Amino acid sequence: MLLSSLVAQASPLSEQQVNQLQQLVSQLNPIQQAWVSGYLAASAQLAGQTATPAAGTVSAAASSSLTILFGSQTGNARHLAQALAEQAKTKGINANVVDMADYKTSQLKNEQYLVIVTSTYGEGEPPENAVALHNFLFSKKAPKLPQLKYAVLGLGDTSYEFFCKTAQDFDQRLAELGATAVHQRADLDVDYQTLADNWSSELINKLEPELTASSAPSAQVIAWPRVDSPGSDATAGSASQYNKQNPFAAELYTKQKITGRDSTKDVRHIEISLAGSGLTYQPGDALGVYFNNDPALVRELLLLTAIARDTPVTLGTETLTVEQALTEQLELTQSYPAFAEKYAAAINHADLLALSSDKAQLRSYLSDRQIIDIVRDYPGLLSAQQLVDALRKQQPRLYSIASSQAEVEEEVHLTVGVVRYDAFGQPHLGGASGFLAERLAEGENVRVFVEQNPNFRLPQSDDTPVIMVGPGTGIAPFRAFLQERDARGASGKNWLFFGNPHFTQDFLYQLELQNYLKRGLLTKLDVAFSRDQASKVYVQDKLRKHGEQVWQWLQDGAHLYICGDANRMAKDVQQALLDIVQQYGAKTAEQAQAYLDELRAAKRYQKDVY
Ligand SMILES: Cc1cc2nc3c(=O)[nH]c(=O)nc-3n(C[C@H](O)[C@H](O)[C@H](O)COP(=O)(O)OP(=O)(O)OC[C@H]3O[C@@H](n4cnc5c(N)ncnc54)[C@H](O)[C@@H]3O)c2cc1C
Ligand SMILES: NC(=O)c1ccc[n+]([C@@H]2O[C@H](COP(=O)([O-])OP(=O)(O)OC[C@H]3O[C@@H](n4cnc5c(N)ncnc54)[C@H](OP(=O)(O)O)[C@@H]3O)[C@@H](O)[C@H]2O)c1
Ligand SMILES: Cc1cc2nc3c(=O)[nH]c(=O)nc-3n(C[C@H](O)[C@H](O)[C@H](O)COP(=O)(O)O)c2cc1C
């Protein structure tokens, strides 16, 4: 009744269309309705702008508009790019936000104003969606850019040796190509928000006179999110008021240890309810999780620093007790150089000051130490406010979503490896994984949000074969992929490579996977139990063993995905792929690399690694 009366009153639709719409809506559950609503909104938005961009074909409006390119893996740079565009728009500047993966490099010579917002990964490497542009700019093909005015904003983490290296690369290379920096690059650490806001305001103030004088403000071309498939990014999370700044207090339904009693690993399957949040997600997305620190850790820290737990402190504009600040708002389990430096200065400790002044030594010292370890090693007295000022704000942890809403509706599932280790004679637990595994009881709430990952997506066509490489907790998004393909009745072949230490202890989701194999949803399942024999066997060994077939699947159009450990596994798997392409594709090493680059550009080679 509600829909028909509303539609009848103000509708531009024909009677037949109204009937069709009513029929469709009556068949949809609330999640599907939210999805359709977001889909239509995004379609209308794009229809009012330029044609829907296809991969690699986005031509941002050139001339006197501002093009903002983002290189981002976990959403931070993307959000800042979008906020910058919003800010520009309020000043009447046309701003186009473009995912670097979708940017047409031939457009560069037409750009007049370009902003690059990018993070850094690996050992100073570009995020996946920035690799192609980065390679292009550093190649001989890069054009001279004397017409270009640009600015670069870098995101990184000072715990890494190559802090904000990709931003530095882009800055240096654009200058070499003859472009002019209009605003000094900022390299921002994990707690970047305020500094990024300031940087953006300063930049817009500088650009405003030039860009508003030469262009009439009009609709901006937002080339992201793109409407590219059912369940596309245009809709994920869009029906909800909840996000990173305003997380949803979600109920923990269940948590279950899915590694055996004798396993060296503690992996939990976690189910969380999103009921009432309006939050939606796509397979490939991640869930952001905020957590409370361990009360025992807080108590020990206060004891060592002789600070009374109810001492009031100020965090931004908020006044709260030091105990509350340490428990709910500040980072206690990850350590980072800025804490050591500020703490050393506050307690005036000569040895820690000396250590802090040697960056490489400090990084090595901090690598296996939490904040409490530093305070245990270098006890000293400081005020509650000094302690709080030395600590950075807690950053939510991301977990690849291990479920599809097509199967679990308003739930979200995770596969969490608990960070648990003994060091310096004491047990240690990771902040978020420890909270989820040890301190959060079923029925209690956890603050969460959905972080979209538009660069880790199932193929548009259900017929396309997929190869998934996900050892350890890297299995998580592939469980989501399989659930989704199952629910859709997708006919494309699915091949999973999984690895973990022992078959009997660590075969995550064994029954589900074997059932999928029996039913034919999983076409092939290859497992590498690394420690079940004298010498290690890893997923890349299995890939190599089946190299000819992997090559054949790629020739048949397969999409290839890697998820899990970034430091070693993802690199070794990539090398195995290069070897396979070289051997079975009869290519040189350079040609094999070019082949993989083409797969990446075509969004057929995607990584979700951490
Ligand atoms: C996009 C993305 C997706 C992710 N998906 C998943 C997922 O599906 N499942 C999953 O489990 N994780 C996933 N992660 C990792 C996850 O976000 C957290 O980093 C992880 O759970 C650790 O967080 P924590 O708060 O428990 O530990 P933290 O408090 O952050 O502590 C971790 C730190 O402890 C130290 N440390 C860890 N182990 C040891 C050790 N043995 N010895 C000494 N020091 C050590 C290291 O310095 C490490 O940085 C993902 C990360 C990203 C970016
Ligand atoms: N960025 C972060 O903050 C963060 C935090 C926590 C975890 N992580 C990462 O998350 C990853 C996932 O952890 P997990 O415990 O689920 O699994 P994991 O440690 O990646 O182990 C899964 C399997 O991969 C094997 N493996 C080890 N080295 C490999 C290599 N070079 N190539 C291929 N396989 C290899 C392991 O074998 P063996 O162990 O027998 O060698 C094991 O069988 C961790 O490795 C860690 O790097 C990151
Ligand atoms: C696996 C991994 C590797 C990283 N490597 C670096 C690095 O080498 N240098 C750096 O400055 N930051 C590094 N970072 C930090 C990210 O750049 C930082 O978290 C950034 O805010 C991410 O932004 P994004 O969400 O836009 O990708 C790394 C982060 C991860 C998870």
Side-chain angles (χ1 to χ4, degrees):
M1 152 7 212
L2 182 64
L3 181 68
S4 54
S5 61
L6 283 178
V7 169
Q9 278 165 29
S11 163
L13 305 179
S14 70
E15 199 181 324
Q16 191 194 359
Q17 285 173 318
V18 169
N19 288 338
Q20 285 170 335
L21 184 62
Q22 280 173 340
Q23 213 177 356
L24 173 66
V25 170
S26 69
Q27 293 164 7
L28 302 178
N29 66 29
I31 291 169
Q32 291 169 320
Q33 286 177 16
W35 185 91
V36 170
S37 132
Y39 177 86
L40 292 176
S43 301
Q45 187 191 14
L46 287 171
Q49 299 158 0
T50 58
T52 303
T57 61
V58 172
S59 307
S63 70
S64 47
S65 62
L66 178 65
T67 297
I68 305 169
L69 300 181
F70 63 84
S72 179
Q73 214 147 295
T74 56
N76 296 339
R78 166 162 50 85
H79 292 304
L80 288 183
Q82 288 167 331
L84 180 64
E86 285 301 317
Q87 220 179 327
K89 199 173 126 192
T90 61
K91 299 279 184 175
I93 297 172
N94 293 332
N96 316 312
V97 182
V98 185
D99 184 327
M100 282 189 193
D102 294 332
Y103 185 69
K104 200 172 173 190
T105 50
S106 61
Q107 186 69 13
L108 268 174
K109 56 186 183 310
N110 301 323
E111 301 286 1
Q112 289 182 12
Y113 295 91
L114 181 72
V115 179
I116 285 184
V117 186
T118 187
S119 56
T120 297
Y121 278 83
E123 286 157 35
E125 289 145 29
E128 274 298 296
N129 72 327
V131 170
L133 181 65
H134 189 268
N135 285 349
F136 174 79
L137 279 176
F138 280 87
S139 75
K140 287 193 194 120
K141 291 185 199 155
K144 292 279 176 231
L145 298 168
Q147 86 295 349
L148 185 68
K149 294 183 180 173
Y150 76 93
V152 177
L153 179 60
L155 292 189
D157 182 339
T158 45
S159 311
Y160 289 90
E161 183 178 357
F162 300 102
F163 174 56
C164 284
K165 172 77 165 51
T166 303
Q168 291 158 15
D169 289 349
F170 276 121
D171 188 13
Q172 173 217 325
R173 187 62 183 152
L174 289 173
E176 280 170 11
L177 294 170
T180 308
V182 284
H183 192 44
Q184 193 176 9
R185 189 190 71 241
D187 294 341
L188 304 184
D189 203 353
V190 173
D191 202 358
Y192 57 79
Q193 194 63 53
T194 309
L195 292 170
D197 291 345
N198 293 343
W199 185 89
S200 299
S201 300
E202 288 162 15
L203 173 69
I204 296 295
N205 286 341
K206 279 189 185 168
L207 294 178
E208 189 185 356
E210 293 181 49
L211 277 167
T212 48
S214 57
S215 68
S218 67
Q220 50 186 332
V221 182
I222 299 287
W224 193 96
R226 299 175 306 129
V227 176
D228 54 8
S229 68
S232 85
D233 304 300
T235 60
S238 62
S240 178
Q241 57 175 305
Y242 298 106
N243 52 36
K244 189 174 178 181
Q245 285 70 38
N246 181 32
F248 174 65
E251 184 185 338
L252 174 73
Y253 269 167
T254 46
K255 58 176 167 182
Q256 192 189 351
K257 188 165 182 278
I258 53 172
T259 40
R261 211 174 35 191
D262 297 327
S263 175
T264 50
K265 290 177 186 285
D266 178 352
V267 178
R268 306 291 173 111
H269 172 71
I270 304 256
E271 298 186 359
I272 289 169
S273 167
L274 295 178
S277 69
L279 283 169
T280 57
Y281 59 84
Q282 301 297 318
D285 286 341
L287 193 77
V289 173
Y290 287 93
F291 55 96
N292 284 350
N293 284 310
D294 187 346
L297 204 60
V298 173
R299 274 196 302 275
E300 188 185 348
L301 191 55
L302 291 175
L303 199 67
L304 285 173
T305 49
I307 293 170
R309 55 193 278 251
D310 54 359
T311 314
V313 291
T314 310
L315 272 185
T317 54
E318 197 183 353
T319 300
L320 63 175
T321 69
V322 65
E323 184 181 46
Q324 236 184 324
L326 294 176
T327 308
E328 295 165 15
Q329 307 228 11
L330 297 167
E331 190 65 70
L332 287 193
T333 47
Q334 280 180 3
S335 58
Y336 37 89
F339 173 76
E341 288 157 14
K342 289 181 189 170
Y343 176 70
I347 64 168
N348 196 18
H349 199 297
D351 292 347
L352 188 55
L353 280 167
L355 177 63
S356 301
S357 64
D358 182 334
K359 296 282 174 230
Q361 220 191 323
L362 181 60
R363 250 196 323 276
S364 147
Y365 169 78
L366 294 178
S367 65
D368 50 1
R369 284 179 169 82
Q370 299 184 337
I371 297 294
I372 194 73
D373 296 308
I374 306 171
V375 177
R376 282 174 188 148
D377 284 354
Y378 299 97
L381 297 182
L382 74 176
S383 72
Q385 191 62 48
Q386 279 176 313
L387 176 63
V388 161
D389 289 344
L391 291 165
R392 77 179 179 207
K393 242 179 117 202
Q394 180 193 110
Q395 297 302 316
R397 311 294 195 255
L398 293 179
Y399 293 94
S400 311
I401 291 176
S403 54
S404 157
Q405 285 196 285
E407 167 124 356
V408 305
E409 302 198 337
E410 289 185 301
E411 291 178 16
V412 58
H413 298 181
L414 307 177
T415 314
V416 176
V418 184
V419 171
R420 188 196 299 280
Y421 59 97
D422 289 325
F424 321 110
Q426 300 274 0
H428 290 67
L429 259 185
S433 58
F435 173 71
L436 289 168
E438 301 291 341
R439 302 193 290 283
L440 184 72
E442 288 175 6
E444 289 182 341
N445 287 349
V446 49
R447 289 165 293 151
V448 302
F449 61 95
V450 171
E451 189 61 67
Q452 298 171 39
N453 187 353
N455 292 311
F456 202 79
R457 287 288 181 255
L458 274 167
Q460 284 184 37
S461 163
D462 281 348
D463 301 337
T464 306
V466 301
I467 302 174
M468 301 165 278
V469 184
T473 53
I475 185 74
F478 302 134
R479 183 174 183 264
F481 277 17
L482 288 169
Q483 286 187 356
E484 177 81 9
R485 285 205 132 188
D486 195 23
R488 278 201 222 162
S491 60
K493 294 189 293 180
N494 302 302
W495 188 354
L496 176 68
F497 289 86
F498 173 72
N500 237 355
H502 297 290
F503 173 81
T504 52
Q505 303 294 321
D506 306 306
F507 198 161
L508 309 182
Y509 303 114
Q510 176 182 3
L511 292 182
E512 280 181 25
L513 294 177
Q514 286 176 336
N515 190 30
Y516 281 150
L517 194 63
K518 206 159 80 188
R519 286 176 36 212
L521 177 75
L522 256 180
T523 319
K524 286 170 76 63
L525 171 63
D526 278 281
V527 288
F529 290 102
S530 51
R531 303 183 201 173
D532 274 349
Q533 57 286 303
S535 54
K536 290 275 171 98
V537 174
Y538 288 151
V539 280
Q540 59 271 27
D541 299 316
K542 297 288 173 172
L543 275 162
R544 283 201 168 89
K545 183 176 167 203
H546 299 288
E548 191 168 4
Q549 242 183 317
V550 169
W551 171 247
Q552 192 51 55
W553 278 51
L554 289 175
Q555 290 300 94
D556 293 342
H559 287 214
L560 204 149
Y561 303 86
I562 304 177
C563 181
D565 172 42
N567 293 330
R568 298 154 302 153
M569 182 275 295
K571 287 178 183 150
D572 293 348
V573 167
Q574 174 155 314
Q575 188 53 53
L577 289 170
L578 286 168
D579 294 343
I580 288 168
V581 172
Q582 214 179 320
Q583 183 177 351
Y584 297 101
K587 295 182 191 297
T588 63
E590 291 73 31
Q591 287 166 336
Q593 184 60 58
Y595 179 87
L596 216 57
D597 288 344
E598 279 166 29
L599 284 189
R600 184 191 287 108
K603 306 214 168 181
R604 287 181 50 202
Y605 175 46
Q606 304 188 353
K607 289 191 239 171
D608 173 20
V609 296
Y610 43 87

